[in-house]
Amino acid sequence: MKPESKEDLLKIASAIAEKTAGLVERTVGRPLPISYLTIFTHHPHEYERCIEWATELGQKFEANNGYKFSLRDPLQTKVGAVECIRIHKPDVYRSQLGCADFVVEDYSVFKKDMLPRHPNNLRVIERPDSEMLEFFDFDNNDVLAYIVSK
């Protein structure tokens, strides 16, 4: 699915929201709220066009591997409103459609409870200043989901 217009970009964002929310709910048995979602671009031209379209939708901020956009009008999806999207620079290791970050009340409690129960769908990724849980599904690998420790 390649975006050819601003409307396509929004359709892709909605699809990422729904697919990541489904991945999370299938894994942990309940829905979690989305903090923001990321659209992975796969070619420099696609990245530049997505940045143009997203700039029309909201305020632009520098972010890791691309830009975040605080949407003027939250994107209404089947799984709730999305207020922020990120456009990720092309990356050969990001062949998926995109990902989303989800919110939990207490990361440590969630990790301690869920990680041992779902080893085939959750893994810990350690970063220098934080860690995160990554949700994945070998049978449906077009999106990823994360919960960040801070």
Side-chain angles (χ1 to χ4, degrees):
M1 191 182 312
K2 290 185 179 186
E4 301 292 335
S5 66
K6 179 173 62 174
E7 292 72 28
D8 285 350
L9 183 75
L10 292 172
K11 286 178 189 173
I12 290 169
S14 289
I16 293 167
E18 291 169 26
K19 288 173 182 252
T20 56
L23 171 60
V24 168
E25 190 164 356
R26 282 190 311 278
T27 303
V28 301
R30 63 185 164 96
L32 296 174
I34 295 175
S35 172
Y36 72 92
L37 63 83
T38 299
I39 298 170
F40 296 149
T41 60
H42 304 100
H43 301 284
H45 176 72
E46 179 184 2
Y47 175 73
E48 295 301 325
R49 294 298 307 267
C50 287
I51 295 295
E52 279 179 43
W53 297 321
T55 300
E56 295 175 22
L57 298 170
Q59 187 174 1
K60 178 177 165 182
F61 300 93
E62 286 194 36
N64 185 34
N65 296 313
Y67 290 96
K68 266 188 186 177
F69 296 86
S70 178
L71 302 178
R72 280 187 290 284
D73 298 315
L75 176 62
Q76 301 303 319
T77 73
K78 291 179 183 176
V79 296
V82 174
E83 297 179 0
C84 187
I85 63 172
R86 179 171 61 127
I87 308 297
H88 195 289
K89 291 178 182 176
D91 179 340
V92 296
Y93 299 105
R94 297 286 182 217
S95 61
Q96 298 88 357
L97 197 58
C99 68
D101 282 15
F102 288 80
V103 179
V104 294
E105 192 170 308
D106 186 319
Y107 176 85
S108 297
V109 170
F110 185 88
K111 175 184 166 184
K112 183 179 178 182
D113 184 35
M114 293 296 171
L115 190 59
R117 292 172 41 192
H118 304 286
N120 294 328
N121 297 100
L122 281 174
R123 72 178 180 135
V124 175
I125 298 175
E126 294 184 15
R127 302 276 190 217
D129 60 344
S130 66
E131 75 173 29
M132 58 187 162
L133 292 175
E134 179 180 62
F135 291 77
F136 58 91
D137 183 347
F138 290 109
D139 295 324
N140 181 10
N141 62 2
D142 59 343
V143 295
L144 298 167
Y146 298 94
I147 297 175
V148 181
S149 64
K150 62 177 196 172

